[in-house]
């Protein structure tokens, strides 16, 4: 007979299965893909993701056990779905590799002998049989499957492999077969859903398959809900476990202990859902579209110039205040009827450079023969813009003008007596009221920059016709303050959007206040129990793994206190009253507004009292949490202040919990602040006021660092004192969302605040050259990655070539059955080389990763980016061998975001200084990359890679993740140029796409491609060495052509960028000639010599081609081709090379070649 515990476990499984079945209406798990079900048999809700053989299979067949002619000559891999070309030699190719061979509708050309053919019949059965006997690993071996078998049996195996991915037919999600039971369908936008069994029905407004949260619009407002807590309104709703289940002996949730665990998990999920709901509102509001509508007549020249020159400052200041923001900017210029160019329009863009270049073309001229201007035409043009671009929730129109619109009705005739050619109003019949109502309906906030008083009446009437309380007026007479005024307006607009999006989340509770200090002798004292939270004994009590009870130790005392009748101030949840304790000690009492100042005239007084009793425990818990927060903040502030050499101190007022002995409502009690101006310097989601003191920012970062990233003191507010700051009401952000009350917004807020601090503390001086470089995508959080020196480097007249070469023999990888292990490397590599190098870099542990997030991905940023852990996992030692461990998908996504920003923060044409190590194509050969790091003395060197990191090889992900991690870790020492394989269309065919799909998913491949689109195209070393991946271009007349390229961008089919990726040198060519690759050109020695002479350069270094010795000179040593993938694809007997450029520009090569296995033995 089964025990009670066993029976409970089975009940849990049955319960979960019933719930999933009710929610998804799907049959029991089907081990295969049932695409051919008959009407009598219900079709499976799942189908296999892998329905054909992938290109990047891991083969374990010995190289000499099968005919090597069965490899595809194009992709160099074993033939997949082989076809036989109709050429005389009957070459065989993979079917996918035949794409692009067609030169006319009925004629194709063999890529090997250039012979024409018309048919591609399937390969002979004997060939297919041989290929099917190849031994391969399961594509899901990284997920734990150990199957090895014939390639011909692979699809049959994946049809029943527990680790195989399957696609849900209903929602498209990819789920492993062993995890199908726990799958919850994606919820489509517009679907009607219920949440947690509530009676209200909401509408899904945003749903991302990669996120556990769904944005739902309920009648009371938009809420972020956990996907597992939502069910379509038409489905049967099954409640989650509740506290009542804990007290039941046997329940649907099993034993009481398991029910208690289920309750705890539910509480954590519910709290996380509440946090996500808050943060999603802020992040939605931080998507900003701003359109400048500017009067462009003759009198406005200085203001047009101000918008143009200060736009970079506006963009960067907004990014510094809100590092997670994403901004689009547009421009509309208007003049008057009768002017040759009446309206000029530039649509929304993320490029400040494009914006500035457009405004450069806008002149200040014209007036139409009178003083009023075509204001309504400009506003109508702005209204017609696509305000929804980027999913912006904050939409701001900034109107700058010095003259009213046409029509005497909008002109103050007492002060404005100038000529108006259209006194009856707009000649095209535009009605201001309709136009403004349409703007308001699009949720566009209207900010008017006032220059003089002639526009006062117009703006007042505009506001009335829009419904009132619409137009915000800002003073912009002084053009030097345009950036500051605009930035403050945008910040206020985002806050307004947050308020609008939060409408209905909590009802405002406004209480009556009075700033009068009471006459204390007339106030009756009351006895209280005072509960004080004791400070922790050491910082270790605040780190990960420490018990929560360490911060919750309380002591109790008794006291008397007098309270003012009315509060003098109020916040969102609490109101503050003057208090006097012990007859002389001035204090402040802070009550929960709902508890202390509720509506006493409620018709249902009995019901209100009952509700208050129900909430009493929750409110007391919140008060105790606030006391705990103040105690921890005060402890950390004392520790921080003790180490400040400047003598400046940060102090926090400790808040205690007072419980009246007359059964009154409890409240917090703390010392009164010193008499000074009260300021809020930051909040708990990473926003900072522009003039916040650096001391406060360093304190906030210090609390994060000293607790090892577990928590951070945030929401700093208080007063400035002679020796520093006295602060009150902080929040503590903690990785444990169940601690520190409602102000703790968890890991996402921790990440946002860390990014915001990096933007402020690590930014270069505002007068530095880079600070003035225009870009929106380059977040200030990455400003510290910019290289540069105030001292010009010494540049010799000519290069020097070293007399000899250094050549090393690298042991080849073992047979493929080692399960992901790499060849043994010297034992001191990890400890002495790479690890030492990272330590010597002087970079702190990286926690950046959520800045300028793309829409729909913010919900993933739960854990902070840990670059050190990523690098360490890629270099895990196991005895005498080395294996790789890829980071989690979330860590890779955070890494890609941080790397993208670091790369965009540097120019399209890198200008570098020697000494430097240069490497050519790597192509997924991870073991060789590690060997180069050892050869090149990574602990004291910088590296420039020439592109082609992925495809062909088996470990492109390891190569790319390690290089990007090093780029984020050491941005001033790692430089990655773009190769022709860093392109979506190429990686889709030659292996990287399949590797991402097999080991992660397709969306991650797309994110990699997004980063590739940001890579720089070329580099110049000490003004003498030009580096790129491919070659030169007939359109590259000046290096500024490269500097001016915008990013992100795909590689086009023609043009300079295409040629830099694809062009090849050819010693048999003079000038330019068509390239046999079918794209770009070949160029001769004369072209290389002419380019070097024209630009005063000495050498061109490029990659892109396999060369036998790893390097090959061209054009009399004016150009060198560098290739760094030895024994390329296992098919070539080539060496790999590293080019070392010393600080005096002496160049040498270090070669590596893989020895044969027999030699290695």
């Amino acid at each position: 007979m089964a025990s009670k515990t066993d029976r409970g476990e089975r009940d849990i499984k049955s319960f979960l299965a019933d719930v999933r079945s009710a929610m998804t209406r799907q049959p029991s798990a089907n081990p295969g893909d049932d695409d051919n079900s008959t009407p009598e048999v219900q079709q499976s809700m799942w189908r296999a993701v892998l329905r054909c053989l992938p290109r990047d299979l891991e083969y374990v067949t010995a190289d000499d056990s099968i005919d090597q002619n069965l490899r595809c000559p194009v992709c160099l891999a074993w033939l997949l779905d082989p076809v036989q070309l109709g050429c005389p030699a009957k070459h065989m190719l993979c079917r996918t590799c035949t794409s692009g061979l067609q030169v006319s509708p009925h004629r194709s050309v063999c890529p090997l002998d250039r012979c024409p053919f018309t048919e591609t019949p399937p390969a002979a059965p004997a060939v297919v049989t041989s290929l099917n006997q190849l031994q391969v690993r399961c594509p899901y071996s990284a997920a734990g499957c150990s199957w090895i078998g014939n390639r011909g049996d692979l699809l049959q195996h994946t049809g029943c492999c527990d680790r195989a991915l399957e696609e849900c037919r209903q929602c498209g999600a990819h789920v492993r077969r062993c995890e199908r039971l726990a799958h919850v369908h994606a919820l489509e936008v517009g679907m009607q859903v219920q949440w947690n069994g509530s009676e209200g029905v909401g509408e899904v407004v945003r749903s991302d398959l990669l996120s556990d949260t769904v944005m739902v619009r309920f009648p009371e407002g938009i809420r972020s809900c956990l996907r597992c807590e939502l069910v379509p309104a038409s489905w049967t709703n099954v409640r989650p476990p509740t506290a009542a289940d804990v007290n039941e002996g046997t329940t649907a949730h099993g034993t009481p202990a398991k029910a208690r665990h289920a309750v705890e998990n539910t509480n954590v999920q519910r709290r996380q859902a509440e946090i996500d709901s808050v943060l999603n509102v802020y992040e939605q509001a931080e998507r900003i579209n701003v359109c400048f509508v500017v009067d462009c007549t003759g009198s406005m020249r200085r203001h047009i110039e101000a918008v143009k020159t200060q736009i970079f400052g506006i963009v960067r200041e907004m990014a510094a205040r809100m590092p997670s923001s994403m901004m689009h900017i547009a421009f509309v210029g208007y003049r008057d009827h009768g002017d040759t160019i009446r309206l000029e329009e530039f649509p929304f863009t993320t490029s400040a450079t494009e914006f500035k270049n457009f405004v450069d073309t806008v002149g200040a001229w014209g007036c139409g023969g009178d003083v009023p201007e075509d204001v309504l035409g400009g506003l109508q043009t702005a209204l017609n813009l696509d305000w929804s671009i980027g999913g912006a929730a904050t939409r701001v129109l900034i109107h700058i003008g010095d003259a009213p619109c046409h029509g005497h009705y909008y002109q103050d005739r007492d002060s404005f007596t100038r000529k108006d050619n259209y006194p009856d109003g707009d000649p095209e019949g535009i009605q201001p009221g309709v136009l403004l109502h349409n703007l308001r309906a699009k949720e566009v906030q209207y900010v008017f920059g006032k220059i003089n008083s002639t526009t006062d009446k117009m703006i007042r009437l505009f506001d009335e016709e829009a419904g009132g309380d619409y137009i915000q007026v800002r003073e912009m007479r002084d053009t030097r303050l345009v950036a500051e005024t605009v930035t403050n307006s945008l910040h206020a607009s985002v806050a307004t959007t947050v308020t609008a999006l939060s409408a209905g989340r909590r009802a405002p509770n406004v209480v009556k206040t009075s700033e009068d200090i009471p006459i204390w002798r007339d106030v009756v004292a009351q006895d209280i129990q005072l509960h004080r939270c004791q400070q922790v004994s050491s910082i270790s009590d605040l780190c990960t793994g420490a018990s929560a009870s360490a911060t919750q130790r309380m002591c109790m005392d008794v006291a008397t206190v007098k309270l003012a009748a009315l509060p003098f101030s109020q916040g969102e949840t609490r109101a503050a009253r003057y208090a006097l304790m012990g007859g002389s000690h001035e204090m402040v009492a802070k009550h929960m507004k709902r508890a202390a100042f509720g509506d006493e005239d409620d018709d249902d007084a009995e019901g209100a009292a009952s509700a208050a009793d129900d909430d009493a425990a929750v409110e007391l818990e919140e008060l105790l949490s606030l006391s705990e927060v103040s105690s921890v903040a005060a402890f950390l502030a004392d520790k921080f202040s003790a180490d400040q050499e400047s003598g400046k101190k940060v102090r926090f007022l400790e808040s205690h919990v007072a419980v009246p002995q007359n059964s009154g409502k409890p409240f917090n009690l703390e010392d009164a602040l010193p008499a000074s101006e009260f300021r809020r310097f930051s909040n708990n989601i990473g926003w900072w006021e522009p003039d916040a003191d650096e001391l406060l920012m360093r304190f906030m970062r210090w609390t994060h660092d000293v607790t090892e990233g577990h928590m951070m003191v945030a929401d700093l507010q208080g007063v400035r004192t002679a020796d520093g700051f006295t602060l009150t009401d902080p929040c503590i952000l903690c990785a444990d969302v169940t601690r520190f009350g409602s102000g703790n917004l968890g890991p996402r807020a921790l990440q946002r605040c860390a990014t915001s601090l990096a933007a402020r503390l690590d930014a270069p001086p505002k007068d530095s050259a880079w600070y003035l470089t225009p870009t929106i995508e380059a977040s200030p959080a990455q400003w510290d990655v910019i290289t540069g020196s105030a001292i010009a480097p010494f540049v010799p007249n000519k290069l020097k070539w070293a007399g000899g070469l250094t050549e090393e023999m690298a042991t080849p990888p073992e047979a493929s059955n080692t399960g992901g292990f790499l060849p043994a490397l010297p034992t001191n590599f990890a400890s002495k080389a790479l690890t030492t190098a990272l330590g010597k870099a002087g970079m702190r542990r990286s926690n950046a990763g959520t800045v300028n997030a793309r829409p729909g991905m913010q919900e993933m940023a739960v854990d902070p980016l840990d670059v050190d852990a990523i690098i360490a996992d890629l270099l895990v030692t196991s005895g005498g061998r080395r294996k790789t461990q890829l980071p989690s998908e979330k860590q890779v996504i955070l890494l890609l975001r941080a790397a993208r920003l670091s790369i965009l923060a540097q120019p399209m044409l890198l200008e570098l200084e020697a000494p430097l190590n240069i490497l050519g194509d790597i192509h997924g050969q991870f073991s060789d990359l590690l060997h180069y790091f050892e050869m090149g003395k990574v602990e004291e060197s910088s590296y420039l890679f020439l592109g082609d990191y992925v495809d062909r090889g088996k470990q492109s992900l390891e190569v790319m993740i390690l290089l990007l991690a090093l780029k984020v870790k050491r941005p001033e020492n790692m430089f990655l140029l773009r190769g022709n394989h860093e392109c979506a269309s190429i990686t889709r065919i030659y292996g990287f796409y399949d590797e991402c799909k097999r080991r992660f998913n397709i969306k991650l491949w797309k994110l990699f491609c997004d980063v590739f689109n940001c890579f720089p195209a070329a580099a110049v070393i000490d003004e003498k060495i030009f580096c790129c991946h491919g070659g030169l271009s007939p359109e590259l007349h000046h290096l500024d052509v490269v500097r001016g390229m915008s990013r992100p961008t795909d590689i086009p089919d023609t043009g300079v960028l295409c040629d830099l990726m694809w062009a090849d040198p050819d010693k048999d060519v003079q000038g330019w000639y068509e390239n046999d690759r079918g794209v770009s050109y070949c160029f001769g020695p004369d072209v290389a010599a002419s380019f070097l002479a024209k630009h005063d350069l000495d050498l061109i270094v490029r990659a892109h081609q396999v060369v036998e010795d790893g390097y090959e000179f061209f054009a009399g040593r004016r150009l060198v081709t560098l290739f760094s993938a030895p024994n390329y694809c296992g098919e070539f007997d080539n060496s790999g090379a590293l080019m070392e450029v010393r600080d005096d520009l002496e160049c040498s090569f270090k070669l590596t070649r893989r020895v044969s296995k027999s030699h290695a033995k």
Side-chain angles (χ1 to χ4, degrees):
M1 180 179 293
S3 67
K4 182 177 180 180
T5 302
D6 294 337
R7 185 168 56 251
E9 290 177 353
R10 284 198 295 272
D11 288 342
I12 292 173
K13 295 178 181 178
S14 300
F15 172 73
L16 290 176
D18 292 342
V19 172
R20 299 303 179 198
S21 177
M23 293 179 66
T24 61
R25 299 187 185 278
Q26 65 189 45
S28 59
N30 187 342
D33 183 14
D34 189 14
D35 277 331
N36 300 316
S37 313
T38 63
E40 292 77 12
V41 180
Q42 185 179 12
Q43 187 182 44
S44 171
M45 294 298 296
W46 302 91
R47 65 174 179 179
V49 171
L50 191 65
R51 295 190 290 274
C52 61
L53 293 177
R55 298 185 64 89
D56 58 343
L57 283 173
E58 184 177 354
Y59 291 88
V60 297
T61 303
D63 289 344
D64 56 356
S65 66
I66 192 169
D67 186 358
Q68 295 297 310
N69 290 329
L70 297 183
R71 288 186 180 270
C72 175
V74 173
C75 66
L76 304 181
W78 295 110
L79 290 164
L80 281 179
D81 190 12
V83 295
Q84 187 172 314
L85 304 186
C87 58
K90 304 297 182 182
H91 292 122
M92 287 188 296
L93 272 67
C94 301
R95 186 176 297 276
T96 56
C97 293
T98 61
S99 61
L101 302 182
Q102 194 172 23
V103 295
S104 68
H106 303 290
R107 180 171 174 269
S108 301
V109 174
C110 175
L112 302 180
D113 54 20
R114 311 303 292 175
C115 294
F117 65 91
T118 57
E119 297 179 351
T120 55
V127 171
V128 176
T129 300
S130 298
L131 290 170
N132 286 339
Q133 292 174 354
L134 289 167
Q135 296 291 293
V136 297
R137 293 185 185 278
C138 176
Y140 303 106
S141 59
C145 180
S146 58
W147 182 86
I148 297 177
N150 292 338
R151 196 178 81 171
D153 299 332
L154 177 63
L155 294 180
Q156 180 180 353
H157 161 71
T158 57
C160 58
C161 176
D162 282 344
R163 301 296 178 179
L165 289 175
E166 293 189 319
E167 180 180 357
C168 176
R169 294 181 184 274
Q170 179 170 333
C171 67
H174 287 185
V175 179
R176 297 201 185 279
R177 181 174 284 109
C178 59
E179 300 170 355
R180 294 195 309 188
L181 185 63
H183 172 61
V184 178
H185 285 312
L187 299 171
E188 297 180 356
V189 173
M191 180 180 290
Q192 300 294 311
V193 295
Q194 285 183 296
W195 180 55
N196 270 356
S198 61
E199 295 181 0
V201 175
E203 179 185 356
V204 176
V205 296
R206 187 172 70 186
S207 176
D208 191 329
L209 289 176
L210 291 181
S211 171
D212 291 332
T213 59
V214 178
M215 297 292 292
V216 183
R217 180 184 289 110
F218 290 101
E220 62 270 19
I222 295 178
R223 183 186 296 274
S224 177
C225 307
L226 287 176
R227 188 182 300 277
C228 62
E229 296 178 347
L230 292 172
V231 294
S234 59
W235 291 353
T236 301
N237 189 21
V238 180
R239 65 173 178 83
T242 65
D245 295 322
V246 177
N247 300 320
E248 299 178 13
T250 57
T251 69
H253 301 281
T255 63
K258 292 182 179 179
R260 185 177 297 107
H261 181 67
V263 170
E264 292 173 355
N265 288 341
T266 301
N267 290 337
V268 172
Q269 291 178 350
R270 183 172 288 112
R271 175 58 187 151
Q272 188 62 58
E274 293 170 355
I275 291 173
D276 290 339
S277 177
V278 173
L279 292 180
N280 288 342
V281 165
Y282 278 95
E283 290 170 358
Q284 188 177 357
E286 288 172 342
R287 299 174 190 169
I288 309 167
N289 287 349
V290 54
C291 174
F292 292 87
V293 179
V294 182
D295 180 347
C296 293
T297 55
S299 59
M300 292 292 294
R301 179 185 57 81
R302 292 173 60 246
H303 284 83
I304 297 173
E305 188 69 20
V307 171
K308 176 182 68 177
T309 57
Q310 297 181 38
I311 187 62
F312 303 135
I314 292 170
V315 169
R316 286 199 169 83
E317 179 61 25
M318 285 303 297
R321 294 191 189 190
M322 303 173 183
S324 297
S325 62
M326 181 178 68
M327 185 186 299
H328 289 76
I329 48 180
F331 184 90
V332 172
Y334 66 87
R335 297 183 180 88
D336 199 8
H337 301 278
D339 291 328
T340 54
I341 302 178
R342 178 164 61 95
L343 298 168
E344 298 191 64
E345 173 189 354
F346 182 74
F348 285 109
T349 180
T350 58
S351 172
T353 303
E354 294 177 2
F355 180 93
K356 176 184 179 296
N357 292 341
F358 175 81
V359 181
D360 269 336
T361 67
V362 177
W365 52 270
C367 65
D370 58 1
V371 174
E373 312 298 354
D374 186 19
V375 175
L376 299 182
L379 294 177
Q380 183 67 53
T381 303
L383 173 66
N384 294 335
L385 293 173
D386 181 8
W387 286 93
S388 65
I389 191 169
T394 301
R395 306 171 181 184
V396 187
L397 183 151
I398 297 180
H399 179 189
I400 307 175
D402 64 352
C405 63
H406 288 288
H408 288 332
Y409 178 72
Y410 297 99
Q411 302 159 9
D412 188 346
R413 304 308 296 170
D414 294 333
S415 60
F416 187 85
T417 58
R418 309 290 183 85
K419 176 183 177 182
D420 184 352
N421 291 338
Y422 306 98
D424 295 330
D426 186 79
E428 295 186 352
I430 300 176
Q431 297 298 318
V434 175
L435 189 155
L436 293 165
H437 274 290
N438 290 337
L439 276 173
R440 198 163 194 172
K442 286 190 174 185
E443 300 178 337
V444 177
Q445 302 177 47
Y446 193 141
V447 177
F448 181 73
K450 178 181 174 180
I451 298 175
N452 56 46
S453 61
T454 62
T455 56
D456 288 352
K457 183 179 180 181
M458 176 188 73
I459 294 302
R460 175 172 54 82
L461 294 175
F462 277 7
D463 189 66
E464 292 176 1
E465 294 180 358
D469 196 23
Y470 179 51
I471 300 179
Q472 309 164 47
V473 180
R474 301 286 186 267
E475 181 62 49
M476 288 193 188
R477 184 189 304 270
D478 189 347
T479 56
R480 295 170 299 179
L481 302 179
V482 168
E484 179 181 348
T485 304
V486 170
T487 305
N488 290 338
S489 298
L490 292 178
H491 196 160
S493 296
V494 173
T496 300
T497 303
V498 169
T499 302
L501 292 176
S502 302
R505 183 183 303 277
R506 47 187 175 269
N509 185 12
V510 180
V511 301
K512 184 178 179 181
T513 61
S514 172
E515 295 185 2
D516 296 336
I517 300 177
I519 301 175
W520 291 117
R521 66 174 179 270
D522 297 335
V523 179
V524 178
Q526 54 181 300
D527 295 329
I528 59 171
Q529 289 182 347
L530 197 62
H531 300 264
R532 305 174 189 268
C533 187
Q534 298 181 359
Q535 292 189 359
V536 296
S537 58
S538 69
I539 290 178
S540 62
D541 292 333
L542 305 177
C543 298
T544 304
S547 173
S549 62
T551 62
Q552 298 171 351
R553 294 179 292 112
M554 306 292 292
C555 63
M556 193 268 287
D557 198 0
V558 294
T560 60
V561 66
K562 296 181 177 182
L563 300 176
L566 294 175
F568 65 87
S569 178
Q570 61 182 312
E572 184 177 296
T573 58
R574 292 191 300 170
R577 291 200 272 190
Y578 294 116
L580 191 71
M581 190 172 73
S584 59
H585 191 178
E586 292 184 354
M587 304 193 79
V588 173
K590 297 180 178 179
H591 300 257
M592 290 293 178
K593 290 164 66 174
R594 180 173 57 181
F597 307 101
D599 189 353
E600 298 177 358
D601 297 328
D602 196 320
D603 293 337
D604 186 8
E606 182 179 352
S610 176
D613 291 339
D614 293 339
D615 293 338
V618 176
E619 290 168 351
L620 180 59
E621 182 73 21
E622 186 69 16
L623 293 172
L624 291 170
S625 294
L626 293 171
S627 178
E628 177 188 8
V629 166
S630 68
S631 175
V632 172
F635 170 79
L636 289 172
D638 291 343
K639 293 291 185 182
F640 172 79
S641 300
D643 296 334
Q644 298 306 302
E645 297 180 357
S646 63
K648 294 291 184 181
K649 299 182 182 298
V650 177
R651 299 186 182 89
F652 279 93
L653 301 179
E654 292 195 59
S655 181
H656 314 303
V657 179
V659 181
Q661 295 187 0
N662 62 356
S663 301
K665 296 295 184 181
F667 54 88
N668 287 119
L669 193 64
E670 63 185 44
D671 289 336
L673 284 168
S676 186
E677 180 187 5
F678 183 87
R679 290 281 310 280
R680 187 169 190 172
F681 304 102
S682 70
N683 65 5
N684 58 343
I685 61 162
W687 291 5
W688 283 89
E689 291 300 316
D691 57 347
D693 195 280
E694 182 182 336
L695 177 69
L696 298 178
M697 300 181 197
R698 288 192 289 107
F699 164 71
M700 194 163 158
R701 174 184 275 179
W702 178 86
T703 63
H704 186 250
D705 293 343
V706 78
T707 60
E708 300 176 355
H710 186 57
M711 62 179 64
M712 176 189 291
V713 180
D715 200 5
L716 306 185
Q717 51 192 321
V719 299
R720 186 187 294 269
T721 60
D723 62 345
F725 294 88
T726 300
L727 307 175
T728 184
D729 293 340
C731 292
I732 289 184
L733 305 176
C734 182
D736 184 352
V737 297
T738 63
R739 299 180 62 186
F740 301 117
S742 59
N744 175 19
L745 298 182
R748 283 178 63 186
L750 268 172
Q751 182 61 57
R752 287 174 56 97
C753 290
T755 302
S756 176
L757 290 169
R760 291 290 184 178
L761 294 177
D762 302 335
K766 290 191 175 183
D767 56 355
S768 68
W770 185 86
Y771 188 89
L772 301 177
T773 303
T775 180
I776 289 180
E777 294 83 1
S779 167
Q782 299 296 328
W783 281 345
D784 57 332
V785 306
I786 303 304
T787 61
S789 172
I791 304 175
F794 169 72
V795 181
N797 292 330
K798 290 293 179 183
L799 294 167
K800 293 184 288 184
W801 293 100
L805 298 173
T806 301
E807 183 168 356
E808 299 192 13
M809 305 294 285
T811 304
E814 297 289 339
S816 300
N817 59 8
T818 56
F821 286 91
L822 297 177
L825 296 175
T827 56
N828 67 344
F829 177 77
S831 58
K832 185 177 179 181
L834 190 57
T835 305
T836 302
L838 298 182
K840 288 186 176 182
M843 303 293 288
R844 63 183 178 280
R845 190 179 182 89
S846 175
N847 282 318
T850 56
V851 287
N852 267 3
R854 297 183 77 85
M857 299 298 292
Q858 292 290 353
E859 294 81 354
M860 301 256 334
V862 176
D863 301 321
L865 172 61
D866 193 338
V867 173
D868 295 332
I870 291 175
I871 295 172
D873 287 345
L874 288 172
L875 302 172
V876 174
T877 58
S878 179
R881 314 188 61 78
R882 183 175 306 279
K883 66 178 181 179
T884 63
Q885 180 178 331
L886 289 177
S888 67
E889 179 183 347
K890 292 184 179 181
Q891 283 290 300
V892 176
I893 291 174
L894 293 177
L895 174 66
L896 291 174
R897 292 175 181 167
R900 183 178 187 273
L901 293 171
S902 180
I903 292 166
L904 283 172
Q906 295 173 333
M908 189 66 156
L909 177 67
L910 299 174
E911 299 183 45
L912 310 177
E913 299 177 6
L916 202 69
N917 291 327
I918 306 176
L919 285 165
D921 297 31
I922 299 296
H923 279 302
Q925 297 185 194
F926 185 59
S927 58
D928 297 308
L929 174 64
L930 298 183
H931 194 59
Y932 285 123
F933 280 145
E934 182 191 17
M935 290 172 57
K937 298 181 180 179
V938 69
E939 69 270 20
E940 57 189 46
S941 304
S942 297
Y943 282 80
L944 172 65
F945 290 82
L946 300 181
D948 277 12
Y949 315 99
V950 299
D951 290 336
R952 309 286 194 185
K954 296 179 181 179
Q955 292 183 289
S956 295
L957 276 171
E958 282 86 350
V959 168
M960 206 65 254
I961 291 173
L962 178 60
L963 290 179
L964 291 178
L966 292 174
K967 179 62 182 177
V968 173
K969 181 77 177 179
R970 303 183 64 192
E972 75 284 7
N973 300 106
M974 281 288 163
F975 303 99
L976 309 176
L977 297 187
R978 188 174 191 175
N980 64 302
H981 277 261
E982 279 67 67
C983 171
S985 60
I986 299 299
T987 58
R988 180 65 178 82
I989 299 174
Y990 291 104
F992 187 56
Y993 168 88
D994 294 317
E995 184 176 346
C996 290
K997 179 179 177 181
R998 175 170 56 86
R999 304 175 76 178
F1000 286 103
N1001 52 58
I1002 296 173
K1003 287 197 174 183
L1004 201 67
W1005 169 74
K1006 293 180 180 178
L1007 292 178
F1008 272 107
C1009 293
D1010 186 47
V1011 176
F1012 293 158
N1013 288 340
C1014 301
F1015 276 21
V1020 175
I1021 303 173
D1022 282 347
E1023 302 180 13
K1024 288 297 177 182
I1025 303 175
F1026 179 78
C1027 304
C1028 64
H1029 177 74
L1032 304 177
S1033 171
E1035 301 175 32
L1036 185 57
H1037 305 300
H1038 197 281
L1039 295 183
D1040 284 344
V1041 174
V1042 182
R1043 293 187 180 98
M1045 292 178 180
S1046 60
R1047 292 178 291 173
T1049 179
D1050 200 356
I1051 299 176
D1053 294 333
T1054 59
V1056 175
L1057 183 57
C1058 172
D1059 298 334
L1060 289 173
M1061 302 297 114
W1062 284 96
D1064 293 307
D1066 190 333
K1067 63 182 180 180
D1068 298 325
V1069 169
Q1070 290 293 317
W1072 300 96
Y1073 191 76
E1074 182 180 359
N1075 198 321
D1076 290 339
R1077 298 178 186 266
V1079 62
S1080 189
Y1081 301 93
C1082 291
F1083 58 91
D1086 57 324
V1087 172
S1090 174
F1091 175 83
L1092 293 174
K1094 180 178 179 179
H1095 297 93
D1096 193 24
L1097 297 166
D1098 289 345
L1099 179 68
I1100 300 169
V1101 182
R1102 47 91 64 176
H1104 194 42
Q1105 288 177 301
V1106 183
V1107 287
E1108 182 178 0
D1109 296 322
Y1111 73 98
E1112 184 174 277
F1113 286 112
F1114 177 79
R1117 289 199 170 194
R1118 293 184 178 92
L1119 182 148
V1120 62
T1121 295
L1122 200 62
F1123 197 80
S1124 302
N1127 192 215
Y1128 179 46
C1129 295
E1131 294 298 307
F1132 294 84
D1133 192 26
N1134 64 292
S1135 298
L1138 177 149
M1139 179 174 172
E1140 185 177 46
V1141 183
R1142 298 186 176 88
D1143 53 5
D1144 60 353
L1145 295 193
E1146 180 180 88
C1147 301
S1148 60
F1149 298 94
K1150 293 183 177 180
L1151 306 186
T1152 180
R1153 70 172 73 246
R1154 293 186 182 180
V1155 299
S1156 66
K1157 293 182 181 178
S1158 59
H1159 187 184
K1161 293 177 182 178

